[in-house]
Amino acid sequence: MSRKNILQGLMSGAPSPAPQTDRPRATKGAIGAVSRSIADLKARAVIEIDPHLIDAGGLQDRLESDATEDAELARSIATYGQQVPVLVRPHPSDENRFQIVYGRRRVLALRDLGQPVKALVRDLDDREAVLAQGQENTARRDLSFIEKVNFARQMVDAGYDRKAICDALAIDKTLISRMLSVAERVPLAVIESIGAAPGIGRDRWLALAELMASAEDDPDTLIGTMALTAAGQTSDQRFEALFAYLSGARRRARALPRPEPLNDAQGRALGEVSRGAASVVLRLRRSRTRGFEDWLVENLSDLHRRWQDDQGGK
């Protein structure tokens, strides 16, 4: 059934127009009031929609999915039915389809079950849709701190101002500033690799952002660190692995003297060296060495042998 037919069905059973009389014609104000009442009725009405007519939309609110929770939601709906309707809006570019505002997991569960979706249909522009999505997420209280940070980051990228973000997440300007500072200092690739981290709150993420601000490792290295050092594979454990790594790197950096710059034959920066009493740390930046670092590692044994020969010849 097309979107047009679905919406027309909302008005089925409406009373027939009254016969004409000699009474004065209705004023524009009265007609407008009736039109608004009909629009309000349509906005509050719950209708059934084929889940295959509902497309993705809005911003990403979850960083990871939980197969166990998704299966439990599907079992609950199969047993008790869909208790809470989702919110959709008319698709902006296809008059026969809808776009989800919130309730994605319910739509997917009903699609798997082969059942129609109970939905509210509202005419929302992009801003209104994002605000509704954010407010519904806040009301659920099941998004982690970093998932809210990621939602705020997407709103910034989409051009929304601070007031809109505060309204969507029901937070004040001070907190949104802290959230966005995390989004600015912790690369998105690292956030996505950690995941929702439901057990990690605001203060720990702010502390990680501080460590990231002074970290010299590229995101790929940090992601690899999480994979290699995490005791398990939960998102909380990946966070703790990265936090421990960066904390150790800071302690090691404090124990070494101020690094000296390393330049190539033309005087261009290649990296830096830190000389301590017990060790020497050579740090080369891949963006500048362009493969020299790999050549150096491969030829280090030969270079050391030549140095030993030179030492013996003196």
Side-chain angles (χ1 to χ4, degrees):
M1 182 181 294
S2 70
R3 190 179 80 196
K4 181 178 179 181
N5 292 334
I6 292 171
L7 294 178
Q8 285 177 340
L10 287 171
M11 303 309 301
S12 61
S16 301
Q20 290 186 348
T21 67
D22 294 333
R23 289 178 297 177
R25 295 171 60 88
T27 63
K28 291 183 178 179
I31 294 174
V34 171
S35 298
R36 287 193 296 273
S37 297
I38 293 173
D40 291 342
L41 175 63
K42 291 169 63 177
R44 290 194 297 270
V46 176
I47 64 174
E48 291 190 345
I49 303 174
D50 182 342
H52 293 92
L53 291 177
I54 302 175
D55 295 330
L59 305 181
Q60 178 188 3
D61 50 11
R62 294 182 183 272
L63 286 169
E64 56 188 340
S65 61
D66 188 311
T68 302
E69 290 183 0
D70 292 343
E72 180 59 34
L73 175 62
R75 282 193 296 270
S76 176
I77 293 176
T79 303
Y80 303 106
Q82 181 190 349
Q83 300 298 313
V84 181
V86 306
L87 178 63
V88 300
R89 66 171 180 166
H91 199 290
S93 60
D94 188 338
E95 66 176 10
N96 293 316
R97 302 186 67 81
F98 299 87
Q99 199 172 60
I100 189 68
V101 177
Y102 59 71
R104 290 165 172 75
R105 293 176 64 233
R106 278 165 278 170
V107 171
L108 293 175
L110 288 160
R111 186 180 295 175
D112 290 341
L113 292 170
Q115 297 181 14
V117 177
K118 295 177 182 177
L120 294 167
V121 182
R122 293 180 184 164
D123 286 315
L124 303 174
D125 60 26
D126 289 347
R127 180 187 178 92
E128 291 168 334
V130 169
L131 289 176
Q133 182 186 2
Q135 290 166 357
E136 198 268 347
N137 287 338
T138 301
R140 287 205 320 265
R141 298 182 181 276
D142 65 346
L143 291 186
S144 68
F145 174 76
I146 196 60
E147 285 179 315
K148 293 179 180 178
V149 167
N150 194 49
F151 192 89
R153 177 194 59 77
Q154 292 177 82
M155 290 191 70
V156 170
D157 292 344
Y160 293 99
D161 57 26
R162 293 290 179 95
K163 183 180 184 306
I165 301 173
C166 291
D167 291 342
L169 295 175
I171 56 178
D172 59 31
K173 293 182 179 179
T174 300
L175 181 53
I176 196 61
S177 295
R178 293 176 179 175
M179 292 172 70
L180 293 178
S181 73
V182 172
E184 290 168 359
R185 290 181 287 180
V186 183
L188 177 58
V190 172
I191 291 175
E192 291 178 336
S193 295
I194 290 175
I200 308 299
R202 177 190 65 190
D203 292 344
R204 292 281 283 168
W205 275 104
L206 287 170
L208 180 69
E210 289 289 340
L211 292 172
M212 289 291 304
S214 58
E216 298 185 355
D217 301 87
D218 59 74
D220 288 341
T221 298
L222 297 177
I223 292 169
T225 296
M226 284 185 286
L228 291 172
T229 61
Q233 290 303 312
T234 70
S235 54
D236 285 352
Q237 290 168 330
R238 290 192 291 271
F239 175 94
E240 295 295 355
L242 179 59
F243 194 93
Y245 172 79
L246 291 175
S247 297
R250 173 173 284 189
R251 288 193 297 270
R252 291 190 295 272
R254 288 174 177 171
L256 291 171
R258 183 179 297 276
E260 308 166 20
L262 286 176
N263 301 322
D264 64 11
Q266 287 73 41
R268 294 172 297 195
L270 289 176
E272 58 193 25
V273 59
S274 298
R275 306 174 192 268
S279 64
V280 175
V281 177
L282 179 66
R283 187 183 298 274
L284 300 175
R285 297 186 180 275
R286 286 182 178 272
S287 60
R288 299 176 183 177
T289 53
R290 299 180 180 180
F292 170 69
E293 72 285 354
D294 294 327
W295 179 91
L296 181 61
V297 171
E298 292 170 1
N299 290 276
L300 192 58
S301 296
D302 184 56
L303 291 171
H304 185 258
R305 180 185 56 76
R306 289 165 56 186
W307 175 82
Q308 286 182 316
D309 292 342
D310 290 343
Q311 292 294 103
K314 290 183 180 178

